[in-house]
Amino acid sequence: MRYIRPLSIEDAVGLLADASGTSAILAGGSDLLVRMKGGFVDPDLIVDIKAIEGLSEIRETADGFSIGATVPCAVLGESSVLKKAWPGVVEASKLIGSKQVQGRCTIVGNLCNASPAADSVPALVAAAAKAVVAGPSGKRTIPVEAVPIGPGKTSLTKGEIVEAILLGKREPRSGDAYLRFIPRTEMDIAVVSAGVKLSLDEHGVITAARVARGAAAPTVLLVEEAAEALIGRKLDEAALERLAKICAGACRPIDDKRGTIEFRRKVAGVLAGRAATTAYARAGGK
């Protein structure tokens, strides 16, 4: 095994593009090192990107925020401006692992690990976040939901690295929220999760919405029908019932020891309603 710590994104891309055998990127390592220790992966090359300038920074830009690939989730939770703009995204990132893991894990790693139950991904999808991908052919920016294509699989090609996550500026009268259901009170994997982002007019009528479901299909689901059902109305009981029904129907869950298909569908609707209620209140709705 080779371990290399490049100092530029161009060098990292070059190493991965030219590598023979299997290769892996080390950002926080909270997924990679566990999988290596468990014997699930045995990379011939590990490219540690933590020394690359700029990847460990949260930058506030004219368009919003840029979160570097190696920013630990603990640092996201310490950013007051990010928490104010995107509380749902920060809440989701703070649910990944224990306090010790929080000092290492990253939302980019959580995204690229491509688990259907990843906590940060539904919140990022609801927030319409984008991923900046660097590769041998240059850089491209894609929606976050376009990165995972199945459990443990991404759309990234050989040599490509997600170097940052982009979040837009918080719009006036808008809010987001993330909720999950887990069997235990702490440090467990989501059985079902929901991320919601709402924008309102001055009368509290929903003008834009994004609803994302996690752990309910092979990848995180952006439920456009649920968003459409909310637009043009206030978040009343009828809207919440319609939202819950659509979200339950959109799920494609599995039966396993952590929950049945029927249970997951029921909880999916409940969580969507609760997340929407929180997002609505944060947007100034009453």
Side-chain angles (χ1 to χ4, degrees), residues 111 120-122 124-125 128-131 142-148 164-166 210:
L111 171 66
S120 68
V121 182
L124 290 170
V125 171
K130 298 184 183 301
I142 60 175
V144 159
E145 58 266 32
V147 176
I165 297 293
L166 303 180
R210 284 176 69 91

Side-chain angles (χ1 to χ4, degrees), residues 85-91 123 126-127 174-178 196-198 275 278-279 282:
W86 294 104
V89 171
V90 175
E91 286 169 349
S174 67
D176 72 319
Y178 172 79
V196 178
K197 187 259 184 180
L198 302 175
T278 300
R282 286 173 173 170

